[in-house]
Amino acid sequence: MPSVLDSGILGCIEPRPVGLSQVQSACAHQSGIPTTTIHPQIVSIVDTELEKSKLALPKDGLRFGEFLKVLDENISAWYAFARVILSKIVILSPSFPHPLFRILMNHYSVRLFLLHTLYHRSGELVEDPKVYSWDVFEEDFGFRLALCQSNSGILMFGPTATDRPADTNSSTTSFEALRSSVATFEMQLTERIGALKSGAKTGLLSSHEEIFRSAFVRPKISETQLVYEATISRKIIDHLEGVADTVNEHERAPIFYSKLAAAAYDLLTTSEKETRFNFRSFVEDGEPVAMTATLKREQKSFELTETSGAVVEDTARLRASLGFRNWSIFVSESLTLLIGWLQYHSGTIPDETEKPFGERLARYLTFLFNADECSIYRVRAKKLKTEFVSYAQYSRFQSPDDRPSKMAKHLTQLVGEANQHESIAIRAFTSNIEQYCVYFNQETGVARPTGQTLSYPRDHPDEDWGRSACAIPIRISGIFWGVIEFVSIMPHAFRETVRAKIQEAISVFAPHVSQREVFSAVGELNDAITNPEGFSLQREHLGDVMQRLLGAKSLAILTREEGGSDRVFLHVDRGDLVQLTDATQVSKSSSLDDFRGQKEDVHLLDATEQSRMIPNRPNVSNKLILARIPWKSGIKEVNHGVVVIEPIHVPVAQENWQAMVRFVCQTIGNTIGGIYSKETWENSIRQRSAHEFKKSVGGLKWSNKKLEPIVRRLETRKLTDNDRWNARIYYSDYLKHTLSIERMTSALEGTEIDPVFAGEPNFGFAASVVKAWEEQGRPQTSIQDTLNHALRTAQGTVETNDVHLPEKFSLPNVDVVAEEWCLIQVLQTLANNALKYARPQSSILVTERSTSNFGIKISNIGPRLDTHEERKMMQDQARGRMVRQLEYPGSGYGLYYAKVIATKFLGCELLYGHEELNEPHADWTWHRLTLVFPKNLVRTAAERRER
């Protein structure tokens, strides 16, 4: 069913002349009487559509209850008829409609009832208005409308509330009867909604209490006053019809028509033969010109003369002041209806199958503020770039139909470019303050004020997108969210008073927009908890949601380790935080220590605190925010992380932005606690253990394949020396696989959660392995045996494309002071990586690096990396462009895992380099990964004998 945001906007497919529409609107607000133009051919249009639908309009004189019974005979057909007939511009947009009328017109049966009244009354109308009753309630509320014939068609004044004889005695009985009839009305429509859409939600958009209250928000008037105001408005509209049609809307601001209508009122209600008013005209490319309009009674025309000196605003006319007051009332009423509609949609997860929430909102705001176009953009940072995402757009100009989408695409392409300042929406974003273009000539590019230009797609056929526009930042709890933009074909369409009301509207709908975003985020967080692809992608989802909700350019979550230093748990886009997140461990920061020692949960750093935290930070003006983020990673353990937030714009100090930050941190913290709960931890341990089992099983299968011929020769007693040598090697592999399986079994049986390594259980397991190794006296590990074991296991695990890898490599007979399982993990990951990404028909090379420190270099020919990808290749989830294009399997986790194990648990370095092929190729290059051991960890044969 239609929503309240459809109220008063009934079919504007063929737009009326701008001048006449503006005059009607001015008359309605100045008289305080709703005014609507009805199509002059209403009868023939309705008859044509009735014949197509094979329906007959009910007879005249029916009350609403009786009318509904006729509709019940074929409710589906009448529903379809209503949708068609209202798109035929039978009823044009009402000006200053009564709130009760707007609510009632949400329902097609009520719209048809109005059409029924107009159809049967149109043949008896003359210039003098005639009053008719229009009540949809059993009790006569006194809702009246006046109809008359005009030069442009039929004019309808009202419906509006008028005095009834029963009102004079202040009897509560009549009000109780009216309340009862409103409840009956609600029940009647609920039944028909249910009959029309079986199984659908049958609740109305407005309760009977809301309907009842809306009936009394405007003071009642007498029928005599209704007739008087209708008569005067009809005369003004007829008198100005020819005048308004000659006005170039590109030169006249909306206030011109208000002054024109007020002047015509003075002219037609006095004995004066002419009257004057001043206004500003926007002609060609010069400054606005002060003009005087002389309106004459007899000629039904006006003369224009230029006024010397400054522009004089003529606001003394009482009629124009009444119009402004009533316009303010109308906006307040509209915002009240908007609040009701938002409440109706609150507490629900956005439904993609319904008509877009944003489109309805933009449509409502477009008509409310007399604009031609309204666009709401969600501005967010992504990968260090700013994106303008179209949240909602509506344009009165339906041709061409790609107008809104073209503009959204244009802004996304323009942001960040040298000429981005040409867009008013982007200027509102970059400055974080309201922007207003009084006048713009698209053909010449001239703007008033200078610099307040508008930018439109160059390749679009529309030659005139608008003459004035305003763009206002949207902030939620003081945190920058996006931009709303209004465009009008008239100059100076959004004066200070209009922009102030737009700000008021933003304060109404922005919290609800935020609420819908939070509901969507909750769904994403639930998906993150249940994501089977592992902690890396879960962290990625967490970071994306957190960045979006906090309006952050970049952010990082830091956790405190046992030694007192901070570790990067999560980072998003980094930006100025690059110095914090380039290393696995963050250097100890006095600003972080000070914050941890304070009681406050959220703190905005000043310039001094920022310089202590990140030296030489390039953008000191864009302040950083620190916030606590607690999560429970076990039964008792609570990990208090710190979020470092680099906001797109500094939050507004006067608003409670800290509460929003606390809420987001608590929500994300709860999600992290869910991801790294005891159950999830144990499940991850099982998954990781299964992965390790799979590698060991692959290695065992490979060993079995090699042992099988040796066993056959053993049976025939034809063993060679080489067979004996290989048997010892494969037996050694068996022992290592057995040890790995024992460790994984131990992990499955009872590995406890380690809060320090809540981000990755494998690191926690590695820590426990190293601890046990240290308790055994830190035994040494043979490099050659471990390397060859890792390479053989990789061969049994990775399916290669005819990639050559020798069965064994000869390296210097050295040992290293390193835990064997951790060393195997690193070397096997490097070997797996080399095999998986190797070019078909190529070879893997393993060489010794013997410069200042001992190292093992593993090289392969693989897909080329872009320059910026080389710097990030050992970051979590990093995968090259070519690798993705060639659809190599993988998650981007392996090298990150190997680097952490190497640096944190082996005390080594993992370095990357590349070299061109002998014949340089655009897509392939040599990749070299080197595991470097410090001298103090290396033991040669001689050193072993000495010790």
Side-chain angles (χ1 to χ4, degrees):
M1 297 299 287
S3 75
V4 77
L5 295 191
D6 289 323
S7 300
I9 306 171
L10 308 178
C12 288
I13 290 182
E14 296 179 12
R16 302 172 63 207
V18 172
L20 195 58
S21 298
Q22 292 294 323
V23 168
Q24 173 189 300
S25 178
C27 287
H29 289 97
Q30 290 173 12
S31 66
I33 304 296
T35 306
T36 306
T37 300
I38 310 301
H39 201 290
Q41 304 299 322
I42 179 175
V43 174
S44 62
I45 293 175
V46 171
D47 285 341
T48 300
E49 295 303 323
L50 284 171
E51 184 177 353
K52 291 180 181 178
S53 303
K54 298 180 179 181
L55 294 171
L57 204 64
K59 64 181 181 179
D60 189 16
L62 296 180
R63 294 188 62 83
F64 185 64
E66 298 169 325
F67 180 78
L68 288 177
K69 291 180 180 179
V70 177
L71 298 188
D72 285 345
E73 296 173 2
N74 196 351
I75 189 170
S76 297
W78 280 113
Y79 175 81
F81 170 78
R83 294 178 65 87
V84 172
I85 197 65
L86 292 174
S87 68
K88 299 293 183 179
I89 61 169
V90 172
I91 304 173
L92 297 176
S93 299
S95 301
F96 195 53
H98 194 286
L100 178 59
F101 177 71
R102 299 174 76 177
I103 290 178
L104 296 179
M105 290 292 281
N106 287 325
H107 309 285
Y108 284 107
S109 54
V110 179
R111 296 184 183 188
L112 286 173
F113 188 59
L114 176 61
L115 185 67
H116 174 262
T117 302
L118 296 173
Y119 178 89
H120 288 295
R121 299 287 174 265
S122 61
E124 60 190 48
L125 300 179
V126 294
E127 287 188 347
D128 294 331
K130 185 176 180 180
V131 177
Y132 298 93
S133 175
W134 191 75
D135 276 318
V136 296
F137 307 124
E138 294 179 359
E139 179 73 14
D140 182 11
F141 170 61
F143 225 37
R144 301 289 186 267
L145 55 85
L147 297 173
C148 67
Q149 192 71 46
S150 74
N151 295 339
S152 59
I154 299 172
L155 289 177
M156 180 177 74
F157 300 94
T160 190
T162 59
D163 289 325
R164 304 174 306 148
D167 293 335
T168 57
N169 60 16
S170 301
S171 171
T172 58
T173 304
S174 61
F175 283 97
E176 290 302 321
L178 178 59
R179 187 184 297 274
S180 175
S181 65
V182 170
T184 302
F185 166 81
E186 181 186 33
M187 181 182 66
Q188 291 171 332
L189 292 186
T190 300
E191 291 173 352
R192 277 151 188 85
I193 295 171
L196 185 61
K197 295 188 175 182
S198 178
K201 183 169 59 176
T202 58
L204 295 178
L205 298 175
S206 303
S207 68
H208 68 274
E209 288 294 334
E210 291 177 285
I211 296 173
F212 188 77
R213 287 196 304 269
S214 68
F216 302 100
V217 295
R218 289 187 190 174
K220 294 183 177 182
I221 62 174
S222 65
E223 289 190 14
T224 303
Q225 184 181 356
L226 173 60
V227 172
Y228 172 79
E229 293 293 354
T231 302
I232 294 297
S233 294
R234 195 270 305 164
K235 289 181 179 180
I236 293 173
I237 291 172
D238 283 351
H239 188 85
L240 296 179
E241 181 180 12
V243 174
D245 288 344
T246 62
V247 174
N248 184 352
E249 66 270 13
H250 292 167
E251 300 176 6
R252 310 285 185 258
I255 195 172
F256 164 82
Y257 298 96
S258 178
K259 293 180 179 181
L260 182 66
Y265 176 84
D266 289 346
L267 191 66
L268 296 174
T269 57
T270 65
S271 59
E272 299 294 329
K273 294 185 178 181
E274 64 179 36
T275 186
R276 296 179 178 85
F277 63 91
N278 299 323
F279 67 98
R280 282 188 290 185
S281 178
F282 299 82
V283 183
E284 297 180 352
D285 297 338
E287 293 290 340
V289 179
M291 304 289 289
T292 298
T294 302
L295 190 64
K296 298 184 178 183
R297 182 195 298 273
E298 300 301 330
Q299 290 86 345
K300 291 188 177 181
S301 64
F302 64 86
E303 296 177 355
L304 296 179
T305 55
E306 188 171 336
T307 303
S308 60
V311 176
V312 178
E313 291 286 357
D314 182 6
T315 57
R317 293 185 184 276
L318 176 61
R319 194 74 173 179
S321 299
L322 288 174
F324 173 75
R325 184 191 67 183
N326 284 330
W327 173 80
S328 298
I329 291 172
F330 173 70
V331 172
S332 297
E333 292 171 347
S334 299
L335 294 182
T336 300
L337 291 177
L338 178 60
I339 291 171
W341 183 73
L342 294 174
Q343 289 174 343
Y344 176 79
H345 284 275
S346 66
T348 59
I349 297 176
D351 183 2
E352 299 299 329
T353 62
E354 66 177 358
K355 188 173 182 178
F357 165 86
E359 181 183 331
R360 290 185 180 275
L361 177 62
R363 174 180 176 175
Y364 189 64
L365 297 174
T366 298
F367 284 87
L368 175 59
F369 295 111
N370 196 27
D372 292 293
E373 200 161 275
C374 173
S375 301
I376 302 175
Y377 297 104
R378 177 64 163 110
V379 182
R380 57 171 298 187
K382 192 171 185 180
K383 297 182 179 178
L384 297 182
K385 292 184 178 180
T386 301
E387 287 187 340
F388 269 67
V389 180
S390 178
Y391 182 84
Q393 286 190 309
Y394 179 78
S395 175
R396 293 189 195 232
F397 304 102
Q398 299 302 318
S399 178
D401 57 4
D402 63 345
R403 184 181 172 99
S405 59
K406 277 278 189 180
M407 174 56 75
K409 183 178 179 181
H410 171 68
L411 281 183
T412 300
Q413 293 173 342
L414 187 63
V415 67
E417 299 295 327
N419 60 336
Q420 68 172 9
H421 64 279
E422 295 177 0
S423 166
I424 191 171
I426 295 179
R427 289 198 302 274
F429 154 63
T430 55
S431 65
N432 199 22
I433 58 175
E434 171 189 292
Q435 301 291 308
Y436 182 44
C437 172
V438 175
Y439 172 81
F440 178 69
N441 188 316
Q442 183 172 328
E443 183 178 356
T444 63
V446 172
R448 298 288 179 267
T450 303
Q452 282 290 353
T453 56
L454 306 181
S455 180
Y456 304 104
R458 303 288 184 186
D459 59 344
H460 204 279
D462 199 332
E463 296 179 354
D464 193 354
W465 282 69
R467 291 295 167 121
S468 66
C470 70
I472 301 175
I474 299 174
R475 288 181 285 267
I476 297 173
S477 297
I479 298 175
F480 180 83
W481 183 90
V483 173
I484 186 169
E485 178 188 50
F486 289 92
V487 180
S488 174
I489 63 172
M490 293 186 292
H492 203 16
F494 309 103
R495 304 166 65 84
E496 294 88 343
T497 50
V498 178
R499 300 199 301 276
K501 292 295 184 181
I502 293 175
Q503 292 274 18
E504 189 176 344
I506 292 173
S507 68
V508 169
F509 73 76
H512 183 79
V513 168
S514 174
Q515 182 190 64
R516 290 174 68 87
E517 194 167 78
V518 168
F519 280 130
S520 295
V522 169
E524 293 181 51
L525 295 177
N526 288 335
D527 292 341
I529 293 177
T530 58
N531 192 320
E533 297 182 357
F535 290 114
S536 298
L537 289 177
Q538 288 172 328
R539 284 201 301 270
E540 182 181 3
H541 291 155
L542 289 178
D544 182 69
V545 170
M546 196 171 192
Q547 181 187 31
R548 190 165 66 249
L549 293 180
L550 292 177
K553 177 182 177 183
S554 61
L555 60 87
I557 298 180
L558 311 177
T559 57
R560 179 58 57 91
E561 296 190 335
E562 292 179 350
S565 61
D566 287 287
R567 183 175 65 88
V568 178
F569 171 77
L570 177 150
H571 61 73
V572 181
D573 285 353
R574 306 191 303 163
D576 284 351
L577 304 182
V578 65
Q579 295 182 51
L580 277 179
T581 59
D582 262 356
T584 301
Q585 289 188 345
V586 180
S587 58
K588 201 167 184 179
S589 165
S590 56
S591 296
L592 280 174
D593 287 342
D594 291 345
F595 176 69
R596 291 183 187 278
Q598 297 170 357
K599 293 183 178 181
E600 60 180 336
D601 296 327
V602 182
H603 179 63
L604 184 65
L605 295 179
D606 58 31
T608 303
E609 292 171 323
Q610 288 183 176
S611 63
R612 294 208 315 264
M613 184 169 177
I614 308 179
N616 304 318
R617 184 167 178 262
N619 189 8
V620 177
S621 61
N622 194 9
K623 297 180 179 179
L624 296 179
I625 298 170
L626 299 183
R628 299 183 195 278
I629 178 168
W631 68 82
K632 196 171 184 180
S633 55
I635 298 175
K636 297 180 179 180
E637 303 87 350
V638 176
N639 194 342
H640 290 278
V642 174
V643 188
V644 185
I645 306 164
E646 182 183 7
I648 293 177
H649 289 294
V650 177
V652 178
Q654 291 77 11
E655 298 191 42
N656 190 15
W657 58 270
Q658 294 92 340
M660 184 65 173
V661 174
R662 290 190 193 97
F663 168 76
V664 173
C665 288
Q666 185 64 56
T667 302
I668 298 295
N670 291 339
T671 305
I672 295 175
I675 293 175
Y676 305 127
S677 64
K678 182 175 179 60
E679 293 79 8
T680 309
W681 171 274
E682 291 173 348
N683 182 58
S684 179
I685 284 290
R686 285 192 292 272
Q687 291 177 348
R688 293 299 186 193
S689 297
H691 181 66
E692 297 304 322
F693 280 132
K694 188 175 181 180
K695 288 196 294 186
S696 295
V697 169
L700 288 170
K701 287 182 177 179
W702 189 87
S703 297
N704 290 338
K705 182 179 178 181
K706 296 295 182 180
L707 279 171
E708 186 176 353
I710 298 176
V711 171
R712 284 200 300 266
R713 285 192 289 273
L714 178 61
E715 292 173 348
T716 60
R717 299 186 179 183
K718 294 181 179 180
L719 286 178
T720 65
D721 291 339
N722 191 52
D723 288 335
R724 294 184 180 89
W725 173 260
N726 286 334
R728 283 194 295 270
I729 292 175
Y730 302 142
Y731 176 68
S732 174
D733 285 344
Y734 266 97
L735 293 178
K736 288 180 171 59
H737 290 313
T738 301
L739 181 60
S740 178
I741 291 173
E742 285 178 354
R743 285 169 175 162
M744 290 302 106
T745 303
S746 175
L748 285 171
E749 288 176 345
T751 301
E752 295 294 332
I753 297 177
D754 185 347
V756 176
F757 299 103
E760 174 51 68
N762 245 16
F763 297 152
F765 178 67
S768 65
V769 168
V770 170
K771 183 178 180 181
W773 171 72
E774 290 174 342
E775 291 173 352
Q776 296 169 8
R778 298 166 59 89
Q780 299 169 17
T781 302
S782 168
I783 278 289
Q784 182 158 292
D785 290 348
T786 306
L787 172 63
N788 283 305
H789 168 75
L791 295 174
R792 288 190 294 271
T793 303
Q795 282 184 310
T797 306
V798 179
E799 295 182 5
T800 62
N801 296 318
D802 298 325
V803 177
H804 177 65
L805 178 65
E807 291 189 9
K808 61 182 179 180
F809 291 89
S810 296
L811 294 173
N813 186 17
V814 298
D815 290 350
V816 290
V817 182
E819 201 285 320
E820 183 182 58
W821 181 85
C822 290
L823 182 57
I824 291 173
Q825 292 295 301
V826 174
L827 293 175
Q828 190 170 315
T829 299
L830 298 183
N832 285 351
N833 201 73
L835 283 168
K836 183 164 59 175
Y837 297 113
R839 186 175 69 176
Q841 312 299 325
S842 64
S843 298
I844 306 299
L845 302 182
V846 179
T847 56
E848 172 198 357
R849 169 182 155 168
S850 54
T851 54
S852 57
N853 291 320
F854 175 76
I856 301 172
K857 183 187 298 182
I858 301 179
S859 306
N860 74 314
I861 299 174
R864 181 180 295 276
L865 294 173
D866 296 335
T867 303
H868 71 280
E869 292 173 343
E870 293 177 2
R871 296 193 300 267
K872 300 179 179 180
M873 67 174 301
M874 293 190 196
Q875 293 178 10
D876 192 6
Q877 305 162 42
R879 304 195 78 215
R881 174 181 54 84
M882 287 290 297
V883 166
R884 294 194 300 272
Q885 286 181 358
L886 296 172
E887 297 183 349
Y888 280 90
S891 63
Y893 174 74
L895 288 182
Y896 164 74
Y897 171 66
K899 183 177 181 180
V900 174
I901 296 292
T903 55
K904 190 171 188 65
F905 301 107
L906 295 177
C908 302
E909 285 187 282
L910 186 57
L911 306 177
Y912 169 76
H914 74 276
E915 294 179 17
E916 294 294 341
L917 303 177
N918 293 334
E919 297 181 2
H921 194 282
D923 298 332
W924 303 93
T925 187
W926 276 105
H927 298 283
R928 308 198 188 280
L929 286 161
T930 307
L931 181 64
V932 181
F933 298 86
K935 282 186 175 180
N936 64 322
L937 297 182
V938 180
R939 302 287 185 267
T940 64
E943 289 173 327
R944 290 199 300 273
R945 286 194 296 270
E946 291 176 2
R947 298 193 180 199

